Amino acid sequence: GGGSIPLAAAGPAALPARRPHEQFALGRGRAMLGGRFMAEGLRQQLQQQAYITQAQWSLETSGLRADEFTPLPDRLLHHHSLYPLEDPSADGGDRTSQALGLRTFVMKGISAYDGQAYCLRHVCGKQVIPSADLLSGARAAVEAWAPVSNHPNLVGLRSAFVSSELDGVSALFFVHDFHPGSLTLAQVHLQASAVHGVLTVTSVSEPLMWSYLVQLTSALRCVHSAGLVLRPGCLHPSKVLVTGFGRLRVGCVGVLDVLSPADTQDADEVLRMHCADLTALGQLLLSLACAGMTGAPSLELCAAHFSMELTRIVAALLASADGGQVTSWRQLVAALADRTMAEMDSVALFSNQTVGELSKEVENGRLLRLLAKLGFVNERPELFGDAQWADTGDRYLLRLFRDFVFHQNNKDGSPLLDWGHVIECLNKLDAGVPERILLLSRDEKSMLVVSYADLKRCVENAHADLRQGARA
């Protein structure tokens, strides 16, 4: 069709009102301890992802009886520590994927080659009988998708193999990247969850809709420009993952290329399939826009709750297969220019925040190495047969310094737990500044004035002695 859709109007990005460190300020020269460490929310999310990656499945923790599930093998090919990502019971619903139209089962496995966790998708061997041609086609798909597998909005396809180790039936397996803690768009926005005893659906705000649209457009741009096709099944709400920090990733890529092969050498056929991807994207957006509303998803419902700019883009995408206003990713990218810039602002802000959090951990890691050296030296029982090694020479200074940093008391004799004092002293020691401090022995019979530079030389010399002893 002729004409073009107007560019999406976008306001200024939601910029933060203050710099990150200002939230920890308590006045001149004082700050909360939390400003020295990774943000608690980020720490918890990363820790949760680590727990999920290392999780192991057992009958005792599953709550199932032995006759209610299909046992998982110890390993599949070179993947071990298998963990079901879907219902492991014997029937498992029927495990028929709405997007793929076949029975599948998804599990996590740790590769013995690189120690990384991967998502293993089992395709029912009774519905798709493995053959040499099928495996060859799967490996060809892995090779074709390799150039785009590291795109930030795709779940990378890494390998494919045939095995009968799961249930005794030879079946095809696809190996994709594993993103711990991720949920599908269907789980996040389309499935009702209980909140205070009431079933509710998490609706999508308009800014989030624009963010989703820009990210999915980025995935389409990458895939289509590489001569590949996502297929509508990959843009089904159950196959698009929300992987944390607002990132979307299109999953199951390459699977339908193997199960439903098409002639990618025919330019007209590829163009038709690209338009089908755009239409599928429009259907995905429409289902999200109308989530939780009464009645079937429609443009009228979308227009009633979202801006006309967004509604027009969704309508143009839905008409792609019929020769509408958007028939290629280039036209879609042009229509989203302003929104893309807003998304770039958001990504850059997140990058700045992440680098800031990383810098905190770099500082903490530096101080940890210094503490480890002090810990190796202080109170060491003996070295080279000398039982007094830790209490003589340079090591005695380090023992007094340990007391100066960690064993201070208030005027009333109570312990002084001043993190600021500890961090300041360790930073000065690590830098070796010329500032001098007074060190007292516990019986107050010895009094020494030394500089941090002298103490740093003591640390390095004592640690060098330990390294020499370790090599002896």
Side-chain angles (χ1 to χ4, degrees), residues 77-92:
L77 198 60
H78 56 267
H79 299 91
H80 60 86
S81 303
L82 303 179
Y83 191 96
L85 301 178
E86 296 179 336
D87 180 9
S89 61
D91 55 3

Side-chain angles (χ1 to χ4, degrees), residues 37 362-380 398 401-407 419 421-427 429-430 459-460 463 466:
F37 301 100
V362 169
E363 290 297 303
N364 293 337
R366 178 174 57 83
L367 297 183
L368 174 62
R369 288 191 291 272
L370 181 57
L371 283 172
K373 289 181 180 180
L374 291 171
F376 285 136
V377 174
N378 284 324
E379 310 291 348
R380 177 168 287 277
L398 296 181
F401 177 73
R402 187 268 315 274
D403 289 345
F404 173 78
V405 175
F406 295 104
H407 298 163
W419 283 77
H421 170 73
V422 172
I423 293 170
E424 180 183 13
C425 292
L426 293 177
N427 276 324
L429 174 62
D430 192 49
V459 172
E460 297 303 329
H463 193 250
L466 292 176

Side-chain angles (χ1 to χ4, degrees), residues 58-122:
S58 66
L59 179 62
E60 292 76 14
T61 59
S62 68
L64 298 173
R65 298 193 307 271
D67 59 347
E68 291 182 327
F69 73 103
T70 302
L72 296 178
D74 292 333
R75 61 175 53 230
L76 279 172
L77 198 60
H78 56 267
H79 299 91
H80 60 86
S81 303
L82 303 179
Y83 191 96
L85 301 178
E86 296 179 336
D87 180 9
S89 61
D91 55 3
D94 65 0
R95 292 194 191 130
T96 298
S97 169
Q98 295 181 5
L100 305 179
L102 297 167
R103 286 170 60 93
T104 62
F105 181 59
V106 182
M107 68 200 84
K108 178 206 74 177
I110 306 295
S111 171
Y113 287 161
D114 58 13
Q116 298 298 308
Y118 291 93
C119 176
L120 311 179
R121 182 176 296 276
H122 165 265

Side-chain angles (χ1 to χ4, degrees), residues 168-407:
V169 178
S170 184
L172 179 63
F173 289 81
F174 291 92
V175 181
H176 288 84
D177 289 334
F178 176 64
H179 296 280
S182 59
L183 297 172
T184 67
L185 281 177
Q187 291 173 317
V188 175
H189 296 296
L190 302 182
Q191 294 179 4
S193 58
V195 178
H196 303 299
V198 179
L199 290 178
T200 60
V201 173
T202 304
S203 60
V204 188
S205 65
E206 177 145 340
L208 188 57
M209 282 285 287
W210 285 117
S211 177
Y212 285 174
L213 176 53
V214 170
Q215 292 184 64
L216 293 173
T217 300
S218 177
L220 279 179
R221 171 185 172 276
C222 176
V223 171
H224 288 184
S225 60
L228 300 169
V229 183
L230 275 180
R231 306 293 188 95
C234 292
L235 290 169
H236 190 275
S238 66
K239 295 296 178 281
V240 180
L241 301 182
V242 183
T243 59
F245 311 110
R247 176 76 60 81
L248 288 191
R249 292 181 185 268
V250 180
C252 222
V253 298
V255 174
L256 287 170
D257 292 355
V258 180
L259 303 181
S260 302
D263 184 7
T264 56
Q265 302 302 316
D266 185 343
D268 291 337
E269 177 65 10
V270 171
L271 179 60
R272 184 195 66 79
M273 297 177 73
H274 284 179
C275 289
D277 281 351
L278 292 169
T279 301
L281 174 57
Q283 292 171 342
L284 173 62
L285 294 172
L286 185 62
S287 64
L288 292 176
C290 300
M293 301 180 190
T294 56
S298 66
L299 289 173
E300 290 74 17
L301 275 177
C302 181
H305 294 84
F306 293 90
S307 66
M308 286 307 301
E309 290 81 7
L310 180 61
T311 304
R312 280 195 291 265
I313 288 185
V314 172
L317 288 171
L318 292 173
S320 296
D322 300 324
Q325 296 172 328
V326 176
T327 57
S328 74
W329 64 263
R330 287 183 175 86
Q331 293 171 312
L332 181 56
V333 167
L336 293 175
D338 286 356
R339 297 294 178 177
T340 301
M341 300 306 293
E343 185 71 10
M344 287 181 62
D345 290 344
S346 176
V347 172
L349 285 171
F350 179 75
S351 176
N352 290 343
Q353 293 171 0
T354 303
V355 171
E357 299 298 329
L358 178 61
S359 67
K360 297 177 187 177
E361 297 309 308
V362 169
E363 290 297 303
N364 293 337
R366 178 174 57 83
L367 297 183
L368 174 62
R369 288 191 291 272
L370 181 57
L371 283 172
K373 289 181 180 180
L374 291 171
F376 285 136
V377 174
N378 284 324
E379 310 291 348
R380 177 168 287 277
E382 65 173 358
L383 183 67
F384 303 126
D386 182 3
Q388 300 299 317
W389 178 82
D391 296 323
T392 58
D394 293 345
R395 284 79 59 189
Y396 181 66
L397 287 177
L398 296 181
R399 178 178 176 181
L400 297 183
F401 177 73
R402 187 268 315 274
D403 289 345
F404 173 78
V405 175
F406 295 104
H407 298 163

